[in-house]
Amino acid sequence: MSSDAKKDARHKAAMEKQKESVDASIAAADLEQGVAILLTGNGKGKTSSAFGMIMRALGYGHKVGVVQFIKGQQLSGEEIYLRDRCPDVAFYQMGTGFTWDTQDRSADMAAARATWDQALPMLKDPSFDLVVLDELTYMLSFDYLSEDEVIEAIQNRPPEQSVVVTGRGGGSRLRDVMDTVSEVKDVKHAYNAGIKARRGVDY
Ligand code: ATP
Ligand code: MG
């Protein structure tokens, strides 16, 4: 056998083995239910991943709710897009109140509560297929919202509903109750090399 033919045969055998293991995992994962996903870590890609799932869900005509727990200084492309082009998506962003600049704890707590009051009915409504709670983790790390209440609402949501939580941190209890937890690692970020945040990429 030529060395190329040997390589081909080895590749084929390896692929067959991998296929067997993938097929077995697919057969074992047969529960039909919504998933709770936490996207955390210090690297870039949490909110944009959540919006990737929103696009997937909308592709299937699913009903989507989005609640953002931080008001950015900058209007974001995803906010513009949802507001202008996706009137069927229930979208709420924390109005006044929490930004990295505020130091008014009681006003921040009131804003967090008002925002949570928008999310809670979605987490109880089986007509929502996907609910995104963007930057929710900060409300827990600052103790602006009760961790017990948030976890209970996530756990008691309609069984077919999926929920995505984003934000750095997110305590170990939240990690424990989520089905999928991904940590985006900050290997490097353009910002630290002096490259300005970019429209359409960073916001
Ligand atoms: P994205 O919205 O791009 O998916 P993210 O949700 O993972 O980012 P956040 O912590 O919410 O990250 O911060 C949002 C903004 O901060 C984005 O403009 C992003 O490019 C920037 N950013 C994210 N991670 C870093 C980092 N490690 N260093 C500097 N800037 C960052
Ligand atoms: Mg984010």
Side-chain angles (χ1 to χ4, degrees):
M1 220 191 284
S2 74
S3 87
D4 266 358
K6 271 187 203 153
K7 269 191 199 158
D8 287 351
R10 265 207 306 274
H11 178 77
K12 189 166 184 287
M15 283 316 193
E16 271 164 8
K17 210 163 164 193
Q18 194 175 343
K19 182 174 162 23
E20 265 171 39
S21 125
V22 170
D23 287 351
S25 313
I26 292 171
D30 63 355
L31 288 177
E32 285 280 356
Q33 61 178 53
V35 285
I37 300 174
L38 172 64
L39 303 170
T40 187
N42 297 334
K44 169 179 164 57
K46 301 173 290 292
T47 297
S48 36
S49 166
F51 277 81
M53 279 179 269
I54 292 171
M55 204 168 139
R56 284 186 174 165
L58 292 176
Y60 286 104
H62 289 178
K63 184 165 171 188
V64 174
V66 184
V67 179
Q68 294 194 302
F69 284 83
I70 284 184
K71 182 167 176 55
Q73 290 116 320
Q74 199 96 53
L75 195 66
S76 68
E78 60 266 29
E79 181 184 351
I80 298 168
Y81 192 83
L82 286 189
R83 287 200 198 283
D84 292 355
R85 319 261 188 101
C86 306
D88 296 337
V89 173
F91 179 75
Y92 183 85
Q93 192 184 67
M94 187 180 263
T96 53
F98 186 85
T99 71
W100 297 116
D101 302 326
T102 61
Q103 274 112 36
D104 186 342
R105 189 175 149 77
S106 65
D108 287 352
M109 284 180 91
R113 169 53 51 187
T115 309
W116 177 246
D117 285 345
Q118 298 292 320
L120 200 50
M122 296 181 189
L123 294 169
K124 290 182 175 165
D125 181 348
S127 75
F128 280 96
D129 300 287
L130 177 69
V131 176
V132 172
L133 306 172
D134 191 34
E135 320 296 351
L136 172 69
T137 56
Y138 303 104
M139 304 302 107
L140 302 179
S141 29
F142 291 130
D143 260 335
Y144 287 173
L145 291 177
S146 141
E147 188 177 48
D148 284 344
E149 192 183 343
V150 167
I151 286 177
E152 196 203 291
I154 290 173
Q155 286 189 307
N156 293 333
R157 73 189 192 284
E160 294 285 326
Q161 185 183 90
S162 292
V163 60
V164 180
V165 173
T166 82
R168 299 179 190 203
S172 57
R173 281 191 57 217
L174 184 63
R175 289 175 184 229
D176 284 349
V177 303
M178 304 306 269
D179 302 303
T180 296
V181 178
S182 294
E183 203 165 77
V184 184
K185 186 179 162 195
D186 179 29
V187 176
K188 60 176 169 175
H189 194 288
Y191 182 76
N192 298 114
I195 303 175
K196 222 173 148 182
R198 194 128 179 104
R199 186 181 262 203
V201 174
D202 290 303
Y203 62 88

